[in-house]
Amino acid sequence: MSRTNLDLLMTFPDGSHLVISTQCSKEREFSCVLYTAILGEDDHASFEVISNHLSASTSLSAQAHAYDYALRHFPHADSLLKKPPYLIWSGPRSTLLQ
């Protein structure tokens, strides 16, 4: 099972959310995915990918790229959109065999 961190960027008037996930690969490449999220009454959530493959060599650069993409996608949300830095998940910990 993979794990994903999510950081809330903003809440839309209809109660849905714009969230971001930032991950770091083994190659130390950072990437971000933007999602819309709808939370159900039973605490289940449904997600729709808005954009992925927003990557860069640093976390802040990837997040800035994602932030700019969100501003272009939602141009009237500039005062509501949370600015970087966001949470980062570096992936599963690897263990060294001795």
Side-chain angles (χ1 to χ4, degrees), residues 13-69:
D14 67 358
S16 63
H17 306 283
L18 178 65
V19 296
I20 187 169
S21 172
T22 304
Q23 296 184 357
C24 180
S25 70
K26 292 179 193 176
E27 295 80 26
R28 301 295 299 159
E29 180 79 9
F30 291 88
S31 63
C32 296
V33 180
L34 293 171
Y35 301 92
T36 55
I38 299 172
L39 303 177
E41 293 177 15
D42 55 359
D43 288 336
H44 284 83
S46 62
F47 296 92
E48 181 180 341
V49 174
I50 298 293
S51 175
N52 59 7
H53 304 296
L54 302 168
S55 61
S57 60
T58 68
S59 61
L60 196 54
S61 295
Q63 291 175 351
H65 186 47
Y67 177 81
D68 291 341
Y69 183 91

